[in-house]
Amino acid sequence: MMRRAQPWLGTLVDIAADGALPDAALADAITRAFHAVALVQRLMSFHDPDSDVSRLNRARPGDALAVHPHTFHVLQLAQAVAHASSGTFNIACAPRLVAWDCLPAPTDTVPAYEPGLEVLRCEAGGAVRKMAPGWIDLSGIAKGYAVDLAIGALMNAGATSACVNAGGDLRVFGADAVPVAIRDPRNPYNLRQGGATVPLQNEAMATSAGYFSMKEWDGGRVCALIDGRSGLPLQGKASVSVRAPRCALADALTKVIAASGDARHPALAEFGATALII
């Protein structure tokens, strides 16, 4: 088993892989996996002015932009989860996060957040049309997608087992189950006390909670988790973990379950996922 870690996507990405490969080939496989993660950061970063996301945020209503196929796929997946959750998952919540100083403002003028507003539309041929003033943020799904790409790179390189963990968004494959610890939201800084341990095998899991992003703002409390139906920050102290075939799905669905409080939300069954609330 070979293990490496690098800082990407605002967190530490940890990759462990094994296989009937020479050490040099296994190391090269892990490098390819990190390159896949780096590509997602370059394409979908809210902060990078050259990313697809930034270009879409600067676009004017009516503009049609060509984006990378990975970005297009993530936008389509985000729309599917938004539809299945009746707008609870909403990538157009970025103006709220900017207003709360959770994200930097791309321009001086912050567009108003309107729940249900169609800001973007994916069109035939891979173009994305800006439908209305607004900003998107893919941080609620892109990290999981990066994990999926990294796993794909490792499989294609001949690894027989691996675990890719991007700050709690992770996916594993191989013959053996991997035990994954989930923090107790009442004591999140101590991973060894409380919480739960879940065995994963050939599947993905993501966890979302507000304990690390909660902050005081304008006499109240806000965090990076938002109910897309209202634009309000989630106030609950629970931790939500979702198991799914792909990490991008698990990543996005944690926000749906966190906002709804429903561990049996219909969107889970639609995507072959299950949820655990602690």
Side-chain angles (χ1 to χ4, degrees):
M1 178 70 71
M2 184 176 293
R3 186 174 181 180
R4 300 286 187 270
Q6 293 182 9
W8 292 105
L9 306 167
T11 189
L12 190 66
V13 179
D14 184 292
I15 298 178
D18 204 354
L21 298 171
D23 285 350
L26 191 58
D28 182 66
I30 292 176
T31 297
R32 294 184 191 183
F34 278 123
H35 286 169
V37 174
L39 175 61
V40 172
Q41 177 169 300
R42 180 171 63 82
L43 294 173
M44 305 181 206
S45 169
F46 189 87
H47 305 76
D48 185 346
D50 296 324
S51 71
D52 283 346
V53 167
S54 292
R55 292 171 53 237
L56 290 167
N57 286 339
R58 291 194 302 266
R60 297 171 298 180
D63 289 350
L65 279 68
V67 299
H68 193 282
H70 286 318
T71 306
F72 191 80
H73 181 65
V74 169
L75 290 173
Q76 287 185 310
L77 187 59
Q79 290 178 343
V81 176
H83 178 75
S85 65
S86 300
T88 304
F89 182 75
N90 188 349
I91 60 173
C93 287
R96 304 293 285 164
L97 295 172
V98 170
W100 301 334
D101 292 327
C102 294
L103 288 174
T107 63
D108 293 335
T109 303
V110 180
Y113 173 69
E114 298 180 36
L117 179 67
E118 185 183 26
V119 173
L120 302 176
R121 178 178 296 171
C122 295
E123 299 188 338
V128 180
R129 188 170 299 277
K130 188 73 170 281
M131 302 300 296
W135 294 335
I136 64 164
D137 172 37
L138 295 179
S139 61
I141 188 172
K143 189 165 60 171
Y145 186 76
V147 170
D148 290 332
L149 286 189
I151 286 288
L154 292 166
M155 288 180 169
N156 290 337
T160 56
S161 64
C163 175
V164 178
N165 185 345
D169 289 3
L170 56 95
R171 182 172 166 181
V172 303
F173 75 88
D176 299 324
V178 176
V180 178
I182 303 173
R183 298 177 191 271
D184 182 345
R186 293 165 293 277
N187 187 19
Y189 294 95
N190 189 344
L191 189 57
R192 297 184 179 181
Q193 182 176 339
T197 299
V198 176
L200 289 185
Q201 187 172 15
N202 298 312
E203 60 185 329
M205 187 173 76
T207 299
S208 287
Y211 41 70
F212 289 141
S213 65
M214 192 70 69
K215 57 189 279 189
E216 300 292 330
W217 183 83
D218 195 26
R221 291 175 66 81
V222 299
C223 73
L225 296 178
I226 298 176
D227 187 332
R229 298 166 296 183
S230 63
L232 296 177
L234 303 188
Q235 299 294 334
K237 297 182 179 180
S239 168
V240 171
S241 296
V242 170
R243 301 168 72 164
R246 291 183 287 161
C247 198
L249 287 172
D251 193 7
L253 288 168
T254 58
K255 286 73 179 179
V256 176
I257 307 309
S260 67
D262 183 2
R264 296 185 178 181
H265 194 285
L268 293 168
E270 183 167 339
F271 295 106
T274 59
L276 171 66
I277 302 176
I278 300 177

PDB file of all heavy atoms in Angstrom, residues 86-123:
ATOM      1  N   SER A  86     -36.342  19.232  -4.972  1.00  0.00           N
ATOM      2  CA  SER A  86     -37.240  20.399  -5.038  1.00  0.00           C
ATOM      3  C   SER A  86     -36.513  21.702  -4.690  1.00  0.00           C
ATOM      4  O   SER A  86     -37.048  22.567  -4.005  1.00  0.00           O
ATOM      5  CB  SER A  86     -38.450  20.204  -4.112  1.00  0.00           C
ATOM      6  OG  SER A  86     -39.190  19.053  -4.494  1.00  0.00           O
ATOM      7  N   GLY A  87     -35.274  21.814  -5.146  1.00  0.00           N
ATOM      8  CA  GLY A  87     -34.510  23.040  -4.964  1.00  0.00           C
ATOM      9  C   GLY A  87     -33.757  23.150  -3.665  1.00  0.00           C
ATOM     10  O   GLY A  87     -33.122  24.183  -3.401  1.00  0.00           O
ATOM     11  N   THR A  88     -33.787  22.102  -2.843  1.00  0.00           N
ATOM     12  CA  THR A  88     -33.034  22.161  -1.582  1.00  0.00           C
ATOM     13  C   THR A  88     -31.544  22.273  -1.857  1.00  0.00           C
ATOM     14  O   THR A  88     -30.831  23.018  -1.178  1.00  0.00           O
ATOM     15  CB  THR A  88     -33.324  20.910  -0.736  1.00  0.00           C
ATOM     16  OG1 THR A  88     -34.736  20.796  -0.540  1.00  0.00           O
ATOM     17  CG2 THR A  88     -32.643  21.001   0.623  1.00  0.00           C
ATOM     18  N   PHE A  89     -31.069  21.519  -2.833  1.00  0.00           N
ATOM     19  CA  PHE A  89     -29.685  21.680  -3.292  1.00  0.00           C
ATOM     20  C   PHE A  89     -29.683  22.715  -4.404  1.00  0.00           C
ATOM     21  O   PHE A  89     -30.382  22.557  -5.404  1.00  0.00           O
ATOM     22  CB  PHE A  89     -29.129  20.349  -3.805  1.00  0.00           C
ATOM     23  CG  PHE A  89     -27.695  20.433  -4.249  1.00  0.00           C
ATOM     24  CD1 PHE A  89     -26.671  20.509  -3.318  1.00  0.00           C
ATOM     25  CD2 PHE A  89     -27.361  20.446  -5.594  1.00  0.00           C
ATOM     26  CE1 PHE A  89     -25.339  20.583  -3.721  1.00  0.00           C
ATOM     27  CE2 PHE A  89     -26.043  20.521  -6.005  1.00  0.00           C
ATOM     28  CZ  PHE A  89     -25.032  20.599  -5.060  1.00  0.00           C
ATOM     29  N   ASN A  90     -28.906  23.773  -4.225  1.00  0.00           N
ATOM     30  CA  ASN A  90     -28.955  24.883  -5.169  1.00  0.00           C
ATOM     31  C   ASN A  90     -27.577  25.508  -5.282  1.00  0.00           C
ATOM     32  O   ASN A  90     -27.104  26.167  -4.346  1.00  0.00           O
ATOM     33  CB  ASN A  90     -29.975  25.928  -4.695  1.00  0.00           C
ATOM     34  CG  ASN A  90     -30.224  27.007  -5.732  1.00  0.00           C
ATOM     35  OD1 ASN A  90     -29.501  27.113  -6.724  1.00  0.00           O
ATOM     36  ND2 ASN A  90     -31.241  27.815  -5.506  1.00  0.00           N
ATOM     37  N   ILE A  91     -26.916  25.314  -6.429  1.00  0.00           N
ATOM     38  CA  ILE A  91     -25.571  25.858  -6.616  1.00  0.00           C
ATOM     39  C   ILE A  91     -25.580  27.377  -6.789  1.00  0.00           C
ATOM     40  O   ILE A  91     -24.523  28.005  -6.768  1.00  0.00           O
ATOM     41  CB  ILE A  91     -24.871  25.208  -7.826  1.00  0.00           C
ATOM     42  CG1 ILE A  91     -25.659  25.454  -9.116  1.00  0.00           C
ATOM     43  CG2 ILE A  91     -24.651  23.725  -7.572  1.00  0.00           C
ATOM     44  CD1 ILE A  91     -24.953  24.982 -10.374  1.00  0.00           C
ATOM     45  N   ALA A  92     -26.768  27.976  -6.951  1.00  0.00           N
ATOM     46  CA  ALA A  92     -26.859  29.429  -7.130  1.00  0.00           C
ATOM     47  C   ALA A  92     -26.953  30.180  -5.799  1.00  0.00           C
ATOM     48  O   ALA A  92     -27.329  31.361  -5.778  1.00  0.00           O
ATOM     49  CB  ALA A  92     -28.061  29.774  -8.005  1.00  0.00           C
ATOM     50  N   CYS A  93     -26.582  29.516  -4.705  1.00  0.00           N
ATOM     51  CA  CYS A  93     -26.591  30.165  -3.381  1.00  0.00           C
ATOM     52  C   CYS A  93     -25.366  31.030  -3.137  1.00  0.00           C
ATOM     53  O   CYS A  93     -25.232  31.628  -2.061  1.00  0.00           O
ATOM     54  CB  CYS A  93     -26.669  29.108  -2.278  1.00  0.00           C
ATOM     55  SG  CYS A  93     -28.281  28.316  -2.109  1.00  0.00           S
ATOM     56  N   ALA A  94     -24.468  31.128  -4.100  1.00  0.00           N
ATOM     57  CA  ALA A  94     -23.212  31.846  -3.894  1.00  0.00           C
ATOM     58  C   ALA A  94     -23.381  33.285  -3.409  1.00  0.00           C
ATOM     59  O   ALA A  94     -22.584  33.746  -2.573  1.00  0.00           O
ATOM     60  CB  ALA A  94     -22.378  31.812  -5.172  1.00  0.00           C
ATOM     61  N   PRO A  95     -24.376  34.071  -3.886  1.00  0.00           N
ATOM     62  CA  PRO A  95     -24.504  35.432  -3.374  1.00  0.00           C
ATOM     63  C   PRO A  95     -24.702  35.501  -1.856  1.00  0.00           C
ATOM     64  O   PRO A  95     -24.237  36.436  -1.202  1.00  0.00           O
ATOM     65  CB  PRO A  95     -25.738  35.970  -4.117  1.00  0.00           C
ATOM     66  CG  PRO A  95     -25.766  35.212  -5.384  1.00  0.00           C
ATOM     67  CD  PRO A  95     -25.311  33.829  -5.008  1.00  0.00           C
ATOM     68  N   ARG A  96     -25.368  34.495  -1.295  1.00  0.00           N
ATOM     69  CA  ARG A  96     -25.551  34.462   0.161  1.00  0.00           C
ATOM     70  C   ARG A  96     -24.207  34.216   0.848  1.00  0.00           C
ATOM     71  O   ARG A  96     -23.886  34.855   1.850  1.00  0.00           O
ATOM     72  CB  ARG A  96     -26.542  33.353   0.532  1.00  0.00           C
ATOM     73  CG  ARG A  96     -27.877  33.464  -0.149  1.00  0.00           C
ATOM     74  CD  ARG A  96     -28.636  34.694   0.316  1.00  0.00           C
ATOM     75  NE  ARG A  96     -29.184  34.516   1.641  1.00  0.00           N
ATOM     76  CZ  ARG A  96     -29.624  35.515   2.404  1.00  0.00           C
ATOM     77  NH1 ARG A  96     -29.541  36.765   1.965  1.00  0.00           N
ATOM     78  NH2 ARG A  96     -30.132  35.289   3.585  1.00  0.00           N
ATOM     79  N   LEU A  97     -23.414  33.301   0.314  1.00  0.00           N
ATOM     80  CA  LEU A  97     -22.114  33.010   0.912  1.00  0.00           C
ATOM     81  C   LEU A  97     -21.169  34.201   0.801  1.00  0.00           C
ATOM     82  O   LEU A  97     -20.369  34.461   1.708  1.00  0.00           O
ATOM     83  CB  LEU A  97     -21.499  31.782   0.240  1.00  0.00           C
ATOM     84  CG  LEU A  97     -22.263  30.472   0.442  1.00  0.00           C
ATOM     85  CD1 LEU A  97     -21.674  29.369  -0.430  1.00  0.00           C
ATOM     86  CD2 LEU A  97     -22.241  30.059   1.905  1.00  0.00           C
ATOM     87  N   VAL A  98     -21.253  34.940  -0.304  1.00  0.00           N
ATOM     88  CA  VAL A  98     -20.446  36.153  -0.454  1.00  0.00           C
ATOM     89  C   VAL A  98     -20.888  37.202   0.564  1.00  0.00           C
ATOM     90  O   VAL A  98     -20.055  37.861   1.210  1.00  0.00           O
ATOM     91  CB  VAL A  98     -20.552  36.697  -1.888  1.00  0.00           C
ATOM     92  CG1 VAL A  98     -19.921  38.089  -1.992  1.00  0.00           C
ATOM     93  CG2 VAL A  98     -19.868  35.749  -2.870  1.00  0.00           C
ATOM     94  N   ALA A  99     -22.193  37.367   0.733  1.00  0.00           N
ATOM     95  CA  ALA A  99     -22.714  38.364   1.673  1.00  0.00           C
ATOM     96  C   ALA A  99     -22.279  38.063   3.100  1.00  0.00           C
ATOM     97  O   ALA A  99     -22.111  38.991   3.910  1.00  0.00           O
ATOM     98  CB  ALA A  99     -24.238  38.415   1.585  1.00  0.00           C
ATOM     99  N   TRP A 100     -22.078  36.791   3.424  1.00  0.00           N
ATOM    100  CA  TRP A 100     -21.664  36.395   4.772  1.00  0.00           C
ATOM    101  C   TRP A 100     -20.146  36.280   4.906  1.00  0.00           C
ATOM    102  O   TRP A 100     -19.643  35.785   5.905  1.00  0.00           O
ATOM    103  CB  TRP A 100     -22.288  35.041   5.139  1.00  0.00           C
ATOM    104  CG  TRP A 100     -23.778  35.038   5.103  1.00  0.00           C
ATOM    105  CD1 TRP A 100     -24.617  36.108   5.272  1.00  0.00           C
ATOM    106  CD2 TRP A 100     -24.620  33.903   4.868  1.00  0.00           C
ATOM    107  NE1 TRP A 100     -25.923  35.696   5.152  1.00  0.00           N
ATOM    108  CE2 TRP A 100     -25.961  34.365   4.909  1.00  0.00           C
ATOM    109  CE3 TRP A 100     -24.383  32.548   4.630  1.00  0.00           C
ATOM    110  CZ2 TRP A 100     -27.057  33.510   4.728  1.00  0.00           C
ATOM    111  CZ3 TRP A 100     -25.461  31.695   4.441  1.00  0.00           C
ATOM    112  CH2 TRP A 100     -26.785  32.185   4.496  1.00  0.00           C
ATOM    113  N   ASP A 101     -19.403  36.732   3.892  1.00  0.00           N
ATOM    114  CA  ASP A 101     -17.942  36.671   3.893  1.00  0.00           C
ATOM    115  C   ASP A 101     -17.412  35.242   3.969  1.00  0.00           C
ATOM    116  O   ASP A 101     -16.305  35.001   4.469  1.00  0.00           O
ATOM    117  CB  ASP A 101     -17.357  37.502   5.046  1.00  0.00           C
ATOM    118  CG  ASP A 101     -17.580  38.991   4.864  1.00  0.00           C
ATOM    119  OD1 ASP A 101     -17.586  39.443   3.707  1.00  0.00           O
ATOM    120  OD2 ASP A 101     -17.759  39.686   5.872  1.00  0.00           O
ATOM    121  N   CYS A 102     -18.189  34.295   3.447  1.00  0.00           N
ATOM    122  CA  CYS A 102     -17.711  32.919   3.333  1.00  0.00           C
ATOM    123  C   CYS A 102     -16.999  32.701   2.009  1.00  0.00           C
ATOM    124  O   CYS A 102     -16.235  31.739   1.865  1.00  0.00           O
ATOM    125  CB  CYS A 102     -18.879  31.947   3.455  1.00  0.00           C
ATOM    126  SG  CYS A 102     -19.680  31.931   5.077  1.00  0.00           S
ATOM    127  N   LEU A 103     -17.272  33.573   1.030  1.00  0.00           N
ATOM    128  CA  LEU A 103     -16.621  33.532  -0.277  1.00  0.00           C
ATOM    129  C   LEU A 103     -16.267  34.957  -0.687  1.00  0.00           C
ATOM    130  O   LEU A 103     -16.964  35.903  -0.301  1.00  0.00           O
ATOM    131  CB  LEU A 103     -17.554  32.936  -1.339  1.00  0.00           C
ATOM    132  CG  LEU A 103     -17.833  31.428  -1.301  1.00  0.00           C
ATOM    133  CD1 LEU A 103     -18.883  31.077  -2.344  1.00  0.00           C
ATOM    134  CD2 LEU A 103     -16.566  30.627  -1.516  1.00  0.00           C
ATOM    135  N   PRO A 104     -15.201  35.138  -1.471  1.00  0.00           N
ATOM    136  CA  PRO A 104     -14.832  36.475  -1.950  1.00  0.00           C
ATOM    137  C   PRO A 104     -15.759  36.917  -3.074  1.00  0.00           C
ATOM    138  O   PRO A 104     -16.194  36.106  -3.901  1.00  0.00           O
ATOM    139  CB  PRO A 104     -13.401  36.293  -2.442  1.00  0.00           C
ATOM    140  CG  PRO A 104     -13.354  34.860  -2.881  1.00  0.00           C
ATOM    141  CD  PRO A 104     -14.238  34.106  -1.938  1.00  0.00           C
ATOM    142  N   ALA A 105     -16.063  38.200  -3.137  1.00  0.00           N
ATOM    143  CA  ALA A 105     -16.949  38.720  -4.172  1.00  0.00           C
ATOM    144  C   ALA A 105     -16.228  38.790  -5.513  1.00  0.00           C
ATOM    145  O   ALA A 105     -15.164  39.406  -5.608  1.00  0.00           O
ATOM    146  CB  ALA A 105     -17.456  40.103  -3.783  1.00  0.00           C
ATOM    147  N   PRO A 106     -16.780  38.175  -6.567  1.00  0.00           N
ATOM    148  CA  PRO A 106     -16.144  38.257  -7.893  1.00  0.00           C
ATOM    149  C   PRO A 106     -16.191  39.669  -8.473  1.00  0.00           C
ATOM    150  O   PRO A 106     -15.310  40.064  -9.224  1.00  0.00           O
ATOM    151  CB  PRO A 106     -16.968  37.288  -8.744  1.00  0.00           C
ATOM    152  CG  PRO A 106     -17.700  36.423  -7.777  1.00  0.00           C
ATOM    153  CD  PRO A 106     -17.927  37.279  -6.571  1.00  0.00           C
ATOM    154  N   THR A 107     -17.239  40.418  -8.139  1.00  0.00           N
ATOM    155  CA  THR A 107     -17.391  41.804  -8.596  1.00  0.00           C
ATOM    156  C   THR A 107     -17.916  42.636  -7.440  1.00  0.00           C
ATOM    157  O   THR A 107     -18.302  42.103  -6.399  1.00  0.00           O
ATOM    158  CB  THR A 107     -18.371  41.910  -9.784  1.00  0.00           C
ATOM    159  OG1 THR A 107     -19.674  41.496  -9.356  1.00  0.00           O
ATOM    160  CG2 THR A 107     -17.920  41.030 -10.946  1.00  0.00           C
ATOM    161  N   ASP A 108     -17.941  43.950  -7.628  1.00  0.00           N
ATOM    162  CA  ASP A 108     -18.403  44.836  -6.559  1.00  0.00           C
ATOM    163  C   ASP A 108     -19.904  44.728  -6.321  1.00  0.00           C
ATOM    164  O   ASP A 108     -20.387  44.987  -5.212  1.00  0.00           O
ATOM    165  CB  ASP A 108     -18.048  46.292  -6.884  1.00  0.00           C
ATOM    166  CG  ASP A 108     -16.544  46.541  -6.881  1.00  0.00           C
ATOM    167  OD1 ASP A 108     -15.837  45.773  -6.194  1.00  0.00           O
ATOM    168  OD2 ASP A 108     -16.085  47.466  -7.567  1.00  0.00           O
ATOM    169  N   THR A 109     -20.655  44.387  -7.344  1.00  0.00           N
ATOM    170  CA  THR A 109     -22.103  44.304  -7.223  1.00  0.00           C
ATOM    171  C   THR A 109     -22.526  42.866  -6.991  1.00  0.00           C
ATOM    172  O   THR A 109     -22.274  41.988  -7.824  1.00  0.00           O
ATOM    173  CB  THR A 109     -22.793  44.833  -8.503  1.00  0.00           C
ATOM    174  OG1 THR A 109     -22.358  46.169  -8.748  1.00  0.00           O
ATOM    175  CG2 THR A 109     -24.299  44.798  -8.344  1.00  0.00           C
ATOM    176  N   VAL A 110     -23.169  42.615  -5.845  1.00  0.00           N
ATOM    177  CA  VAL A 110     -23.610  41.271  -5.497  1.00  0.00           C
ATOM    178  C   VAL A 110     -25.052  41.088  -5.969  1.00  0.00           C
ATOM    179  O   VAL A 110     -25.943  41.823  -5.540  1.00  0.00           O
ATOM    180  CB  VAL A 110     -23.523  41.030  -3.976  1.00  0.00           C
ATOM    181  CG1 VAL A 110     -23.990  39.615  -3.633  1.00  0.00           C
ATOM    182  CG2 VAL A 110     -22.104  41.263  -3.476  1.00  0.00           C
ATOM    183  N   PRO A 111     -25.313  40.123  -6.856  1.00  0.00           N
ATOM    184  CA  PRO A 111     -26.692  39.903  -7.303  1.00  0.00           C
ATOM    185  C   PRO A 111     -27.561  39.373  -6.172  1.00  0.00           C
ATOM    186  O   PRO A 111     -27.077  38.687  -5.270  1.00  0.00           O
ATOM    187  CB  PRO A 111     -26.538  38.862  -8.426  1.00  0.00           C
ATOM    188  CG  PRO A 111     -25.277  38.150  -8.102  1.00  0.00           C
ATOM    189  CD  PRO A 111     -24.371  39.163  -7.467  1.00  0.00           C
ATOM    190  N   ALA A 112     -28.829  39.705  -6.218  1.00  0.00           N
ATOM    191  CA  ALA A 112     -29.755  39.210  -5.202  1.00  0.00           C
ATOM    192  C   ALA A 112     -29.965  37.708  -5.373  1.00  0.00           C
ATOM    193  O   ALA A 112     -29.972  37.194  -6.494  1.00  0.00           O
ATOM    194  CB  ALA A 112     -31.090  39.940  -5.323  1.00  0.00           C
ATOM    195  N   TYR A 113     -30.118  37.028  -4.244  1.00  0.00           N
ATOM    196  CA  TYR A 113     -30.407  35.601  -4.305  1.00  0.00           C
ATOM    197  C   TYR A 113     -31.919  35.397  -4.341  1.00  0.00           C
ATOM    198  O   TYR A 113     -32.642  35.896  -3.478  1.00  0.00           O
ATOM    199  CB  TYR A 113     -29.823  34.864  -3.099  1.00  0.00           C
ATOM    200  CG  TYR A 113     -30.261  33.415  -3.051  1.00  0.00           C
ATOM    201  CD1 TYR A 113     -29.803  32.517  -4.002  1.00  0.00           C
ATOM    202  CD2 TYR A 113     -31.158  32.960  -2.094  1.00  0.00           C
ATOM    203  CE1 TYR A 113     -30.210  31.197  -3.995  1.00  0.00           C
ATOM    204  CE2 TYR A 113     -31.571  31.634  -2.074  1.00  0.00           C
ATOM    205  CZ  TYR A 113     -31.100  30.761  -3.028  1.00  0.00           C
ATOM    206  OH  TYR A 113     -31.515  29.463  -3.019  1.00  0.00           O
ATOM    207  N   GLU A 114     -32.386  34.667  -5.322  1.00  0.00           N
ATOM    208  CA  GLU A 114     -33.809  34.367  -5.455  1.00  0.00           C
ATOM    209  C   GLU A 114     -33.979  32.853  -5.517  1.00  0.00           C
ATOM    210  O   GLU A 114     -33.567  32.223  -6.498  1.00  0.00           O
ATOM    211  CB  GLU A 114     -34.390  34.994  -6.719  1.00  0.00           C
ATOM    212  CG  GLU A 114     -34.315  36.506  -6.765  1.00  0.00           C
ATOM    213  CD  GLU A 114     -34.917  37.066  -8.037  1.00  0.00           C
ATOM    214  OE1 GLU A 114     -35.918  36.487  -8.514  1.00  0.00           O
ATOM    215  OE2 GLU A 114     -34.383  38.058  -8.566  1.00  0.00           O
ATOM    216  N   PRO A 115     -34.557  32.246  -4.495  1.00  0.00           N
ATOM    217  CA  PRO A 115     -34.770  30.792  -4.536  1.00  0.00           C
ATOM    218  C   PRO A 115     -35.571  30.384  -5.767  1.00  0.00           C
ATOM    219  O   PRO A 115     -36.558  31.023  -6.124  1.00  0.00           O
ATOM    220  CB  PRO A 115     -35.563  30.519  -3.251  1.00  0.00           C
ATOM    221  CG  PRO A 115     -35.201  31.654  -2.337  1.00  0.00           C
ATOM    222  CD  PRO A 115     -35.025  32.846  -3.235  1.00  0.00           C
ATOM    223  N   GLY A 116     -35.125  29.340  -6.429  1.00  0.00           N
ATOM    224  CA  GLY A 116     -35.820  28.841  -7.602  1.00  0.00           C
ATOM    225  C   GLY A 116     -35.465  29.533  -8.897  1.00  0.00           C
ATOM    226  O   GLY A 116     -35.914  29.107  -9.972  1.00  0.00           O
ATOM    227  N   LEU A 117     -34.647  30.588  -8.843  1.00  0.00           N
ATOM    228  CA  LEU A 117     -34.272  31.299 -10.060  1.00  0.00           C
ATOM    229  C   LEU A 117     -33.319  30.441 -10.897  1.00  0.00           C
ATOM    230  O   LEU A 117     -32.322  29.935 -10.396  1.00  0.00           O
ATOM    231  CB  LEU A 117     -33.589  32.626  -9.702  1.00  0.00           C
ATOM    232  CG  LEU A 117     -33.122  33.478 -10.889  1.00  0.00           C
ATOM    233  CD1 LEU A 117     -34.308  33.997 -11.682  1.00  0.00           C
ATOM    234  CD2 LEU A 117     -32.254  34.641 -10.391  1.00  0.00           C
ATOM    235  N   GLU A 118     -33.623  30.294 -12.186  1.00  0.00           N
ATOM    236  CA  GLU A 118     -32.753  29.548 -13.092  1.00  0.00           C
ATOM    237  C   GLU A 118     -31.642  30.473 -13.577  1.00  0.00           C
ATOM    238  O   GLU A 118     -31.851  31.314 -14.444  1.00  0.00           O
ATOM    239  CB  GLU A 118     -33.547  29.010 -14.281  1.00  0.00           C
ATOM    240  CG  GLU A 118     -32.720  28.112 -15.202  1.00  0.00           C
ATOM    241  CD  GLU A 118     -33.489  27.642 -16.426  1.00  0.00           C
ATOM    242  OE1 GLU A 118     -34.434  28.333 -16.849  1.00  0.00           O
ATOM    243  OE2 GLU A 118     -33.132  26.572 -16.965  1.00  0.00           O
ATOM    244  N   VAL A 119     -30.468  30.322 -13.005  1.00  0.00           N
ATOM    245  CA  VAL A 119     -29.341  31.175 -13.347  1.00  0.00           C
ATOM    246  C   VAL A 119     -28.622  30.660 -14.592  1.00  0.00           C
ATOM    247  O   VAL A 119     -28.164  31.447 -15.420  1.00  0.00           O
ATOM    248  CB  VAL A 119     -28.365  31.281 -12.151  1.00  0.00           C
ATOM    249  CG1 VAL A 119     -27.096  32.028 -12.543  1.00  0.00           C
ATOM    250  CG2 VAL A 119     -29.042  31.981 -10.984  1.00  0.00           C
ATOM    251  N   LEU A 120     -28.526  29.335 -14.712  1.00  0.00           N
ATOM    252  CA  LEU A 120     -27.835  28.719 -15.843  1.00  0.00           C
ATOM    253  C   LEU A 120     -28.712  27.655 -16.479  1.00  0.00           C
ATOM    254  O   LEU A 120     -29.583  27.079 -15.829  1.00  0.00           O
ATOM    255  CB  LEU A 120     -26.530  28.062 -15.390  1.00  0.00           C
ATOM    256  CG  LEU A 120     -25.474  28.912 -14.705  1.00  0.00           C
ATOM    257  CD1 LEU A 120     -24.333  28.012 -14.262  1.00  0.00           C
ATOM    258  CD2 LEU A 120     -24.963  30.002 -15.621  1.00  0.00           C
ATOM    259  N   ARG A 121     -28.425  27.372 -17.755  1.00  0.00           N
ATOM    260  CA  ARG A 121     -29.103  26.269 -18.433  1.00  0.00           C
ATOM    261  C   ARG A 121     -28.072  25.534 -19.290  1.00  0.00           C
ATOM    262  O   ARG A 121     -27.372  26.157 -20.094  1.00  0.00           O
ATOM    263  CB  ARG A 121     -30.243  26.776 -19.301  1.00  0.00           C
ATOM    264  CG  ARG A 121     -30.972  25.670 -20.081  1.00  0.00           C
ATOM    265  CD  ARG A 121     -32.115  26.227 -20.895  1.00  0.00           C
ATOM    266  NE  ARG A 121     -33.139  26.810 -20.040  1.00  0.00           N
ATOM    267  CZ  ARG A 121     -34.171  27.533 -20.501  1.00  0.00           C
ATOM    268  NH1 ARG A 121     -34.278  27.771 -21.802  1.00  0.00           N
ATOM    269  NH2 ARG A 121     -35.064  28.019 -19.668  1.00  0.00           N
ATOM    270  N   CYS A 122     -28.001  24.223 -19.122  1.00  0.00           N
ATOM    271  CA  CYS A 122     -27.117  23.405 -19.952  1.00  0.00           C
ATOM    272  C   CYS A 122     -27.806  23.133 -21.284  1.00  0.00           C
ATOM    273  O   CYS A 122     -28.954  22.666 -21.308  1.00  0.00           O
ATOM    274  CB  CYS A 122     -26.791  22.086 -19.246  1.00  0.00           C
ATOM    275  SG  CYS A 122     -25.829  22.277 -17.729  1.00  0.00           S
ATOM    276  N   GLU A 123     -27.106  23.399 -22.377  1.00  0.00           N
ATOM    277  CA  GLU A 123     -27.696  23.258 -23.698  1.00  0.00           C
ATOM    278  C   GLU A 123     -26.998  22.160 -24.487  1.00  0.00           C
ATOM    279  O   GLU A 123     -25.905  21.704 -24.127  1.00  0.00           O
ATOM    280  CB  GLU A 123     -27.617  24.593 -24.448  1.00  0.00           C
ATOM    281  CG  GLU A 123     -28.367  25.716 -23.741  1.00  0.00           C
ATOM    282  CD  GLU A 123     -28.435  26.978 -24.581  1.00  0.00           C
ATOM    283  OE1 GLU A 123     -27.592  27.147 -25.487  1.00  0.00           O
ATOM    284  OE2 GLU A 123     -29.347  27.798 -24.330  1.00  0.00           O
TER     285      GLU A 123
END
